[in-house]
Amino acid sequence: PSLAGEISRKLDANTFIQGGIKTAGKAVRINAQLLDASNEEIFKTFQVEGSSEEDIFLLTDSLSALVRNYMEIRVLESNIEYDLRSGYGTSSAEAFRYYMNGLNAFFAGNHGDAVQQFKRSIAIDSGFFAAYNWLLEAYEISGFLGQDYSQIEHAKQLLDILLGWDLNQLSHMEQLTFGMIKAKYIDKNPQNYIRQCRLMLEFDPQQRIIWYNLGNAYRELGQHDKAIEAYEKSIEISKQWGIQGGWVRSYQHLADAYHNAGEHKKEAEVLEEGLVHFPGHPDLNRNHAKCAFSRGDSARGLDYFAAYKSATMERDFWSEAEVDRRRSHMYANLAYFDQAEELWRYTIEREPQSDYHKRCFAEFLILNDVNIDEGLELVNGILEDSPDYYDILFFKGLALYKKGQLEDALKILNIAWDKRLTYRHDHYLAIQEVKAALARQNL
């Protein structure tokens, strides 16, 4: 080892390999160790065995592949942040490369591409747990953003695979991740999900994505101060690591939490910081427009929305109606109901084939008691073609409740809840409200 270490240092090599061949009768064992050239300490050992010396070439090829894959993964991992590494959940460099591609696509917002990359990773190594976890995340967010029920069904099928996993095969970190998956997708229990996040952070407090997920859980429950604290911690860790940009959703959701807490000055500051790292990002400009309107500065709000409109139409090739639908949402959230209704009707008039435009308009009509009957008519029309559309089922149940049809409302709300992939707080509260109303009615 000392001679090998000296030669390695002269060659500017960080690692050298040594090993040997042992025989016992017909059995053959080949081992290899990777040593740090600077101190000659062993940091990884490999071993293969065969039943005959005739296997020697197959054994050396196998050992070579193990060493090569390990070293390639070490190099690949150096290009991604610490909390996104797999913890050597795979011995295949090719599977790990697709995993990295999936992560890059996911954080860039290309969720469809992320799905394909994670699926390729799993096809190469069906035991790569981290790839399953991120594929589930990609299915969830692509299904939610596109209101694509097929993506949710794919996620549910993936959950069936994960639930059959032998936990003894998982590392401690992976077992904690499994607990989070179960709390979020199977139990739909936000309190337990928060506990699982906390357990993960006790084990490793430098997990930026877990802090972000914790912020999402608190935001869903309306606990805005705790959400702000978690999002800020996620961004703080990124800065400590010198990752100034981080992830645009961290800034976007922190701004949302400040908005919901009524702290619009801090909301604007977060968005300005986000735009420094993500210049011209449309989602940040849309949030900025909402913030400006909330502060009574409609002129600036329109300027930010114009920047949002330009970016989405040029970058994502959105139609003007698609952009206006989001402006309608913003007006509705700000209680500008007349402007929202007028713009939604104009949007549907331009793209009458879009069920999603109708879905959003129905939500507005029902939630805000603008025109429940018209909203219910729109909902029923969509359900004729998409009977499993869980959000539409939720709005139908809510409309029936507001019309006093309590038993039918509760039945449909429960069906929608079962079809939903994750917890949604307003859906849960609606079910509890209908149950209470039925209990009072039956007294």
Side-chain angles (χ1 to χ4, degrees):
S2 59
L3 179 59
E6 182 181 348
I7 293 172
S8 299
R9 287 188 290 273
K10 288 182 178 179
L11 295 173
D12 289 328
N14 295 322
T15 302
F16 67 93
I17 303 172
Q18 69 173 23
I21 302 174
K22 295 182 179 180
T23 61
K26 292 185 177 180
V28 179
R29 175 181 295 168
I30 307 179
N31 63 71
Q33 298 88 36
L34 301 182
L35 288 83
D36 187 327
S38 64
N39 56 24
E40 299 170 19
E41 291 185 358
I42 296 173
F43 62 86
K44 185 66 176 178
T45 299
F46 304 90
Q47 181 173 290
V48 293
E49 296 181 355
S51 58
S52 168
E53 289 187 9
E54 295 178 359
D55 297 335
I56 192 71
F57 292 112
L58 292 175
L59 293 176
T60 52
D61 286 346
S62 177
L63 185 66
S64 173
L66 289 173
V67 173
R68 183 180 65 250
N69 275 286
Y70 176 85
M71 297 299 289
E72 284 186 26
I73 291 172
R74 284 286 295 264
V75 172
L76 290 169
E77 278 199 329
S78 66
N79 294 318
I80 61 174
E81 285 74 41
Y82 152 78
D83 61 338
L84 296 176
R85 297 176 186 175
S86 69
Y88 300 100
T90 181
S91 59
S92 167
E94 187 179 7
F96 191 81
R97 186 174 290 107
Y98 281 122
Y99 170 77
M100 279 185 54
N101 292 342
L103 290 175
N104 291 334
F106 183 90
F107 287 104
N110 302 323
H111 303 110
D113 185 37
V115 165
Q116 297 307 315
Q117 296 296 325
F118 291 134
K119 287 174 68 176
R120 289 176 181 174
S121 178
I122 290 168
I124 295 166
D125 183 356
S126 62
F128 190 5
F129 181 81
Y132 284 92
N133 177 42
W134 281 102
L135 177 57
L136 186 58
E137 294 274 351
Y139 275 141
E140 179 198 352
I141 198 166
S142 59
F144 170 75
L145 291 178
Q147 295 293 299
D148 185 348
Y149 191 76
S150 66
Q151 297 295 302
I152 304 303
E153 281 301 300
H154 289 319
K156 289 180 178 179
Q157 293 167 10
L158 192 62
L159 281 172
D160 289 338
I161 296 173
L162 288 171
L163 287 175
W165 210 288
D166 182 0
L167 297 185
N168 294 322
Q169 296 179 355
L170 301 179
S171 67
H172 181 61
M173 181 68 81
E174 288 171 336
Q175 289 181 20
L176 291 172
T177 301
F178 184 89
M180 292 176 60
I181 289 171
K182 186 174 183 298
K184 181 177 181 180
Y185 298 104
I186 303 301
D187 303 332
K188 296 181 189 175
N189 186 322
Q191 288 79 18
N192 191 33
Y193 180 75
I194 288 170
R195 282 193 294 271
Q196 294 297 327
C197 286
R198 291 291 184 186
L199 285 173
M200 178 78 82
L201 293 170
E202 285 178 14
F203 181 72
D204 185 355
Q206 295 296 304
Q207 293 283 325
R208 295 170 307 147
I209 305 304
I210 305 303
W211 280 110
Y212 168 81
N213 289 340
L214 184 62
N216 285 345
Y218 281 129
R219 187 167 66 106
E220 176 66 29
L221 293 174
Q223 299 180 25
H224 306 306
D225 290 344
K226 291 182 178 179
I228 288 169
E229 180 183 352
Y231 289 136
E232 286 183 337
K233 185 66 175 178
S234 176
I235 292 174
E236 177 190 332
I237 293 171
S238 293
K239 291 178 178 178
Q240 289 173 353
W241 293 353
I243 310 169
Q244 293 302 315
W247 186 22
V248 69
R249 284 183 170 271
S250 297
Y251 293 97
Q252 184 185 357
H253 287 180
L254 175 57
D256 278 336
Y258 273 128
H259 181 89
N260 294 332
E263 298 189 43
H264 299 305
K265 182 178 179 182
K266 290 184 177 179
E267 175 189 7
E269 291 172 355
V270 168
L271 292 169
E272 285 296 335
E273 182 181 346
L275 285 170
V276 170
H277 302 302
F278 303 93
H281 196 285
D283 290 339
L284 295 177
N285 276 320
R286 184 178 61 176
N287 278 54
H288 239 320
K290 179 175 69 173
C291 178
F293 275 112
S294 298
R295 301 173 77 180
D297 193 345
S298 57
R300 179 168 291 186
L302 290 172
D303 287 342
Y304 279 119
F305 199 86
Y308 166 76
K309 180 176 181 177
S310 174
T312 52
M313 294 181 74
E314 291 176 7
R315 188 190 74 172
D316 302 322
F317 305 105
W318 283 5
S319 67
E320 191 166 354
E322 286 179 300
V323 178
D324 282 345
R325 185 187 75 221
R326 287 156 176 83
R327 184 152 59 107
S328 302
H329 271 299
M330 184 175 67
Y331 285 154
N333 291 334
L334 295 168
Y336 298 170
F337 292 155
D338 290 342
Q339 296 94 321
E341 181 177 358
E342 179 182 356
L343 192 54
W344 251 310
R345 292 190 186 282
Y346 182 48
T347 298
I348 293 173
E349 180 183 317
R350 284 175 290 169
E351 294 185 352
Q353 76 284 356
S354 172
D355 277 351
Y356 195 58
H357 293 339
K358 296 172 186 175
R359 172 245 184 248
C360 294
F361 189 37
E363 176 185 9
F364 165 74
L365 294 172
I366 294 168
L367 289 184
N368 298 295
D369 298 320
V370 175
N371 191 328
I372 295 172
D373 288 332
E374 184 181 3
L376 189 56
E377 183 180 347
L378 286 169
V379 161
N380 285 330
I382 296 171
L383 289 174
E384 288 181 5
D385 295 325
S386 305
D388 291 325
Y389 202 157
Y390 50 90
D391 271 353
I392 295 298
L393 287 168
F394 166 63
F395 299 138
K396 179 172 183 175
L398 198 60
L400 293 177
Y401 167 58
K402 292 188 174 190
K403 289 172 67 67
Q405 301 176 33
L406 303 184
E407 292 183 358
D408 288 341
L410 183 59
K411 179 180 177 181
I412 291 174
L413 286 171
N414 282 328
I415 292 173
W417 181 264
D418 291 338
K419 292 183 181 296
R420 187 177 293 285
L421 182 62
T422 57
Y423 179 87
R424 177 166 160 172
H425 196 49
D426 59 347
H427 194 154
Y428 171 80
L429 293 178
I431 290 175
Q432 304 312 308
E433 189 174 339
V434 176
K435 285 181 177 178
L438 271 171
R440 289 192 300 270
Q441 178 178 281
N442 295 330
L443 285 177

